[in-house]
Amino acid sequence: MLNRSSYNEEVCRWDVFEIQYNGQDDNDAYIKSYIKGRFTGKFEEKTVDGFYDGEGKFIIRFMPSFEGEYTFHVQSSFFDAADTGSFMVKAPKKENHGPVRVHNTYHFAYEDGTPYYSIGTTCYVWHLQTDEMIEKTYELLESAGFNKIRFCVFPKHYAYNLNEPRDYPYAGKPMDSCVLSVENFNSYNGRAEGNEWNYMQFNPSYFRHIESCILRLQALGVEADLILMHPYDRWGFSCMDREADDLYLTYVTARLSAFRNVWWSLANEYDLMQAKSLKDWEHFADLICRQDPYLHLRSIHNCVHFYDYTRPWVTHCSIQRQDLYKSAEFVQEWRRHYKKPVVLDEIAYEGNIQYGWGNITAMEMVRRFWETACRGGYAGHGETYLNEEDILWWSHGGKLIGESYKRFSFLHEILCETPGYGLKPYERTSWDEVCAVPEEIGANGSYYLYYYSFMQPAFREFNITDTKEYEVYIIDTWEMTKTKVGIRSGKFKLILPGKQFIAVMLKAVQQK
Amino acid sequence: MLNRSSYNEEVCRWDVFEIQYNGQDDNDAYIKSYIKGRFTGKFEEKTVDGFYDGEGKFIIRFMPSFEGEYTFHVQSSFFDAADTGSFMVKAPKKENHGPVRVHNTYHFAYEDGTPYYSIGTTCYVWHLQTDEMIEKTYELLESAGFNKIRFCVFPKHYAYNLNEPRDYPYAGKPMDSCVLSVENFNSYNGRAEGNEWNYMQFNPSYFRHIESCILRLQALGVEADLILMHPYDRWGFSCMDREADDLYLTYVTARLSAFRNVWWSLANEYDLMQAKSLKDWEHFADLICRQDPYLHLRSIHNCVHFYDYTRPWVTHCSIQRQDLYKSAEFVQEWRRHYKKPVVLDEIAYEGNIQYGWGNITAMEMVRRFWETACRGGYAGHGETYLNEEDILWWSHGGKLIGESYKRFSFLHEILCETPGYGLKPYERTSWDEVCAVPEEIGANGSYYLYYYSFMQPAFREFNITDTKEYEVYIIDTWEMTKTKVGIRSGKFKLILPGKQFIAVMLKAVQQK
């Protein structure tokens, strides 16, 4: 028998409403018992799974999408009759805009309609580092203005990250990692031998910690792009059987779906996970669609081969570039092909490690961001500089050494000037420039954002067919300056700095 | 009746043997009369056309490919009987290696077997500038170490080059160029109106000047990649009729074929010449093959669409890159596809003009050269910086302002270290590096040249399957340093500078 121990009588829209129940401690509760809640307000009714949080505690969470009075109706294998009650949903706080949704086919907006221009980064297991380092990560995320972070639920085993995580997701014990070396670590990839886990018994503290991280991110305005599976693994979590995989995904979705800033990334480099087939991925996607009542954003990330992003469950492309030289430059093609938001979650990382995916310059990273943005997509950052403490942002968070991250807030500010929602590539522009215009037809002719990438023109000639007058700005994307040149219209010549990474913004003068 | 007025009794192998005849001044002699010579040595017999040089002078030229005694046997419409005689061919001077030939499918060598690693540049009408500027061009060609220059036979009408040339190829007079402006010049492209030329009557001084330029280039070790036709024209030379085109090509080949450093480029941006069809180009190629007894190198250069470089008359690809972002990176594909030397005659120019083909950085230019070289091809330079004198190297020669040209001699020195003839891309190398190995199978395992392009690895790991020992050098392609690290073999780690544009050379230690 369970006793309700706590619940919120009031909650803000898009925050987590939670009810806790106390009962008997039982390690089999993860598989043997169920708890389910039906939540009913004036405009919605949702049924959600609860979960076992260990030590006899059951929890059920719900994210209300509307304001007003709600009732709950909870059923469980431990109840004779349903537990019921009610609560009030208040207006959200100012900085709470709800979950991020696809908007306008190629872009994102928060559920309240605020545009969301993704400036992402990748720190695969930042949350499994020391508290001190985790705090540093928060600080950096905030100061750099990132609004999305990709990270793994499971711990990571890879070059520059052979240490043990702070905790494990399952009851049991890991293989003895003293056998590992820089030379042999690869041969332990995707192996389960030596580990003794009970995949039917979670370690709730592991997940509670992730939840606290997600909440802190939420407070910072950062979306948590959660990687559910990945191949960099010596514990066997990448090669569990179907029963264990399903239990894991069911548990994770029950625990985490009510957090508004969660995105689901089915896998990082799905095509390197040899134990899984396309059929498996489709099965997992189906399970997540069923288990997540809030329809959080969903995608899957590739190594060599793109997943078929046309699949209906995929809300946006999560792309690792396939070409060493070109990445951002393909955004237009991918938009045309997939008709979904194009997020380049991996375009190589700024750094100097030995691998080609982790040693581009800061300038090239910033160039890829702008090139992506002006083609109507969203790029992602990561950093992999060698350093004495062996703290590589891409894996650990904690520390940024480079130069690119300082320049994304500026890009974000520029993106926020877009009339309507999001940019699209202007198709009738010259072959030797990128030009972005507003995605929305209603904003036609009101705004042009030209980008000259690695080229260094000392001037350019413009011929705007629209009869409007435009405020003209020259933007140095590297130095982060935006200089007003004056008002121009029609055909005109613009003197430019004759250096790389320059953009030009034309903004229609507002009619009085 | 013609009288022989001069000829050389002795000539060096691959130099020009020339006989001159005097007769009646006749402006119709370009079309009405012929002069032909048969030249016979122990190892060759060649029949070549002579040409009318104006003022009653006929000239016949021959380039002997062997040493020893030769006889000549000249017939003309002005002779009753043939004019005959003999001359001696001596050994060539040290710096004379003969014409450049295709060697080893993908590379070039002089006829005496000396490898030729092409380091080209483009100055379309440098030879039509003032004597003073022409002298400056020679100085720069020499100091920069260029060994090929692309330029046009006809004058050029284009942005930054609207001035009149120093001379014209035909008798007659040009349109009045005072009607031209920066705004309207494009509308005069490929038009003949306003010009009054007699296409049946050449202006020999124009061609004599070109010959003097070709000879000076020869003395500097520079190949003259002659562009026979091009679309940047307000005089009508780009839209002559078939009769005039044929007469022109016959005349040019008769005058210039005997110069060993001549290459034939049928056209620059052939696909922009709307008055010509593919059939025309094939016809011109056929004519040149018939008229040039020495089989100089032949190609044709594109704007948007590649010519079909598999055509048998094409000796090598002369490519303008089609992609704004990638150029050098396609060399492997083009080698595979065309099975001929890949010369990237236009990969955009270092500079800062408004056009995307003329505003890349020096670093990007040098990067494209190395990237091309390490993939077994040859890149070409050009420069388009705005300046007060309006002297843009790409059009006028005379002046180089940039930074890339200072770095090609260094690349050339490195290429000269290649065992055998030329480099090919090593197919079994890592995805994130370019690695060149000797083209010749006999040199297998003796040499590796790695290039890391825009990546900045702080170290790389090597695993050479060959059991040889190698001298290891780190090359900074921008700073032009080559630093010996030591002897290595098998599996080893190499600390690198962690900056862009680094190469690593492994040279098998010579067995004693």
Side-chain angles (χ1 to χ4, degrees), chain A residues 355-425:
Chain A
Y355 308 117
W357 49 257
N359 56 26
I360 66 169
T361 63
M363 283 182 171
E364 177 61 10
M365 176 61 97
V366 175
R367 191 192 72 76
R368 291 181 186 190
F369 262 76
W370 275 83
E371 191 91 36
T372 303
C374 291
R375 292 170 187 273
Y378 301 94
H381 161 268
E383 195 186 277
T384 45
Y385 279 109
L386 294 179
N387 59 79
E388 278 178 18
E389 297 95 328
D390 244 357
I391 300 173
L392 283 70
W393 173 266
W394 132 92
S395 200
H396 313 99
K399 189 169 172 175
L400 278 168
I401 300 165
E403 284 295 321
S404 68
Y405 78 93
K406 302 171 186 169
R407 286 157 174 91
F408 301 134
S409 288
F410 179 72
L411 167 60
H412 190 259
E413 281 168 34
I414 299 288
L415 290 175
C416 288
E417 294 194 42
T418 308
Y421 288 86
L423 294 168
K424 70 178 172 194

Side-chain angles (χ1 to χ4, degrees), chain B residues 243-259:
Chain B
E243 187 189 2
D245 282 339
D246 283 5
L247 186 69
Y248 160 66
L249 293 173
T250 307
Y251 192 71
V252 165
T253 47
R255 286 200 78 118
L256 305 181
S257 290
F259 296 94

Side-chain angles (χ1 to χ4, degrees), chain A residues 67-105:
Chain A
E67 294 169 33
E69 201 184 358
Y70 276 73
T71 60
F72 62 84
H73 180 275
V74 179
Q75 291 177 291
S76 166
S77 43
F78 297 102
F79 293 164
D80 293 329
D83 179 44
T84 60
S86 67
F87 58 101
M88 278 301 293
V89 179
K90 300 180 301 177
K93 297 225 173 66
K94 208 177 97 239
E95 63 283 1
N96 173 1
H97 302 287
V100 172
R101 306 297 187 187
V102 172
H103 188 96
N104 215 351
T105 307

Side-chain angles (χ1 to χ4, degrees), chain B residues 37-38 80 84 110 138 153 181 196 229 333 356 362 390 438 470 485:
Chain B
R38 191 172 73 238
D80 294 330
T84 58
Y110 295 99
Y138 292 132
V153 174
S181 70
E196 292 170 28
M229 296 181 175
E333 277 179 45
D390 244 357
Y470 294 90
V485 176

Side-chain angles (χ1 to χ4, degrees), chain A residues 191-481:
Chain A
R191 265 164 60 171
E193 303 101 85
N195 291 285
E196 292 170 27
W197 304 116
N198 180 355
Y199 292 135
M200 300 296 116
Q201 188 186 332
F202 294 101
N203 170 16
S205 71
Y206 186 85
F207 294 93
R208 267 181 240 134
H209 172 65
I210 290 182
E211 287 157 12
S212 74
C213 292
I214 291 172
L215 277 175
R216 277 292 293 276
L217 293 175
Q218 197 178 88
L220 297 170
V222 179
E223 300 294 300
D225 197 352
L226 282 178
I227 297 164
L228 295 170
M229 296 184 175
H230 65 260
Y232 333 110
D233 168 50
R234 68 169 178 262
W235 303 276
F237 307 143
S238 65
C239 49
M240 302 189 299
D241 63 16
R242 171 62 66 90
E243 187 189 3
D245 282 338
D246 284 4
L247 185 68
Y248 160 66
L249 293 174
T250 306
Y251 192 71
V252 165
T253 47
R255 288 200 75 119
L256 305 180
S257 290
F259 296 94
R260 65 173 177 273
N261 60 323
V262 160
W263 299 21
W264 306 121
S265 176
L266 255 64
N268 207 66
E269 300 194 323
Y270 82 95
D271 45 338
L272 295 191
M273 294 189 69
Q274 299 182 347
K276 308 296 179 219
S277 67
L278 275 184
K279 247 188 176 156
D280 289 323
W281 296 116
E282 288 294 311
H283 166 81
F284 300 146
D286 187 56
L287 187 151
I288 288 165
C289 287
R290 278 184 290 111
Q291 291 297 119
D292 164 16
Y294 314 105
L295 305 172
H296 287 288
L297 293 169
R298 292 175 301 260
S299 195
I300 184 165
H301 166 274
N302 66 294
C303 176
V304 175
H305 303 292
F306 283 179
Y307 203 87
D308 176 5
Y309 297 116
T310 68
R311 297 289 303 140
W313 64 264
V314 174
T315 55
H316 63 284
C317 308
S318 168
I319 286 176
Q320 174 170 190
R321 62 106 181 66
Q322 293 173 313
D323 187 295
L324 190 56
Y325 298 85
K326 280 175 83 169
S327 51
E329 295 74 20
F330 289 120
V331 166
Q332 275 149 290
E333 278 179 44
W334 294 327
R335 280 172 49 109
R336 265 197 299 272
H337 191 65
Y338 297 116
K339 306 254 188 302
K340 292 180 185 180
V342 172
V343 184
L344 304 187
D345 276 314
E346 203 178 331
I347 49 173
Y349 303 127
E350 182 190 345
N352 65 357
I353 58 169
Q354 73 270 43
Y355 308 117
W357 49 257
N359 56 26
I360 66 169
T361 63
M363 283 182 171
E364 177 61 10
M365 176 61 97
V366 175
R367 191 192 72 76
R368 291 181 186 190
F369 262 76
W370 275 83
E371 191 91 36
T372 303
C374 291
R375 292 170 187 273
Y378 301 94
H381 161 268
E383 195 186 277
T384 45
Y385 279 109
L386 294 179
N387 59 79
E388 278 178 18
E389 297 95 328
D390 244 357
I391 300 173
L392 283 70
W393 173 266
W394 132 92
S395 200
H396 313 99
K399 189 169 172 175
L400 278 168
I401 300 165
E403 284 295 321
S404 68
Y405 78 93
K406 302 171 186 169
R407 286 157 174 91
F408 301 134
S409 288
F410 179 72
L411 167 60
H412 190 259
E413 281 168 34
I414 299 288
L415 290 175
C416 288
E417 294 194 42
T418 308
Y421 288 86
L423 294 168
K424 70 178 172 194
Y426 184 49
E427 300 289 353
R428 283 180 302 157
T429 204
S430 176
W431 67 280
D432 56 355
E433 67 193 7
V434 186
C435 178
V437 292
E439 188 76 62
E440 294 189 359
I441 293 167
N444 260 359
S446 67
Y447 185 82
Y448 298 89
L449 184 60
Y450 296 86
Y451 181 57
Y452 303 111
S453 197
F454 59 84
M455 290 165 283
Q456 45 180 8
F459 70 93
R460 291 285 286 183
E461 280 157 344
F462 294 79
N463 192 355
I464 310 296
T465 51
D466 212 284
T467 55
K468 291 189 184 71
E469 292 205 303
Y470 294 90
E471 289 171 7
V472 177
Y473 301 87
I474 295 175
I475 297 169
D476 186 325
T477 67
W478 181 255
E479 299 296 343
M480 296 181 284
T481 59

Side-chain angles (χ1 to χ4, degrees), chain B residues 2 21 24 28 80 101 130 173 194 203 211 219 238 268 275 292 311 331 355 384-385 398 417 420 430 433 463 493 510:
Chain B
L2 289 178
Y21 296 91
Q24 196 106 38
D28 288 340
D80 294 330
R101 307 295 188 188
T130 62
K173 67 189 189 66
N203 170 15
E211 286 157 13
S238 65
N268 208 66
D292 164 15
R311 297 289 303 139
V331 167
Y355 308 117
T384 46
Y385 279 109
E417 294 193 41
S430 176
E433 67 192 6
N463 192 354
K493 176 177 169 175
Q510 295 296 322

